[in-house]
Amino acid sequence: MSDTRLLDQGTQPIRFARGWHCLGLASDFADGKPHAIHGFGTKLVVWQGASGELNVLDGYCRHMGGDLTQGEVKGDHIACPFHDWRWGGDGKCKEIPYARRVPLRARTQRYETVVRNGQLLIWHDPEGSAADHDILPPELPEVMTDKYTPWSWNTKEINGSHCRELIDNVADMAHFYYVHFAFPTSFRNIFDGHTATQFMESKGRPDTMGGGYGDENSTLKSVATYYGPSYMINWLEVDYKGFITEVILINCHIPTGPDSFLLQYGITVKKPEGLDEKTCAYIAERYTESFGDGFLQDVAIWENKVAVQNPLLCEEDGPVYQLRRWYEQFYVDVADIAPEMTDRFEFEVDTTKANEYWHAEVAENLAKRAATEAAAPADA
């Protein structure tokens, strides 16, 4: 028998995760028009009715399959463009203008909605359970006030990867050096109930051109918590040459198919005291670009790698298998959630050996660069 270790690419889950999922900024849907969102293997329709409530239904009319996202908002209802059947946010057909009565079974798939921190969240559960409001992400009381800059919100379609590839990053210490150009000097995880948290301190590499987490003049303290399967709040404290900035990063996604998802991320910055609005907006824009670059660095990896169900790990790779067991709770029926998926688990990675090697490698890279620059005038 060969000693070669084979990659188990497995198969993608046939269901989508149970939990709260973010569709984007609530204000983007508050225009009285229907909006299309691809998610959970179908299309959703999002609209704000005359009462001001945001509603989300399956995007296809149960009458004859008309695309409700191409319809019209009439009062509180979304009207199908095919035959004008009018659907309410509770999933019931409210009116058929050309008919005497509405069939008793005229109901469609609705998604319970919550607006939190200026974002529209919906509850998804293959079992059809009522939304669990106890596991909503926390309110950020000062966000959406004049103490923070407005959300800078971005989206990116990811194809060829299951969204678990994104979750794996929670336990992946080493990729911050190779992908994001940073030295993780402290790294630990806590998985507990429906939350998974990464605590990290890092500083940028001086041998790169920056981008992502890699500015050599910055040190970073990061606490990033997933609240359920798809919504992460990342509290960041950036020290740039002694100037400290507090940043909140939202990292969330919507699964669109078995191997695709819509990645969304938003940035808001606590306004430093004594700075004018223009300067605060400029700082927020720079951080949005920086962390946006970081996401794009990951995307380049995800779109070219294969799924690995049996990763071969070393000590410094972190608790990948434990993280995946935590994540599995969102893909099984509630009755099948096992204690090892939700019991509190803590792990700290020893970064000593990694940083010894990385600092030596960076020093060598800097020496090579200096030698190349010194030789350049003579070769001209």
Side-chain angles (χ1 to χ4, degrees), residues 332-350:
V332 300
D333 289 350
V334 171
D336 296 327
I337 297 176
E340 61 263 25
M341 299 176 187
T342 58
D343 285 350
R344 184 180 177 87
F345 174 85
E346 299 185 36
F347 188 90
E348 183 166 2
V349 176
D350 185 349

Side-chain angles (χ1 to χ4, degrees), residues 62-63 85 87 91-93 102-109:
R62 293 315 193 243
H63 174 218
W85 284 41
W87 299 88
K92 299 178 182 179
C93 182
V102 174
L104 293 176
R105 299 181 65 182
R107 299 194 178 198
T108 188
Q109 174 67 49

Side-chain angles (χ1 to χ4, degrees), residues 276-307:
D276 58 70
E277 290 295 319
K278 184 177 180 180
T279 303
C280 290
Y282 175 80
I283 292 172
E285 183 180 351
R286 296 284 78 78
Y287 280 117
T288 298
E289 290 179 358
S290 176
F291 290 110
D293 288 346
F295 278 114
L296 294 177
Q297 289 163 337
D298 280 318
V299 168
I301 299 293
W302 297 331
E303 292 185 332
N304 291 281
K305 72 183 294 297
V306 296

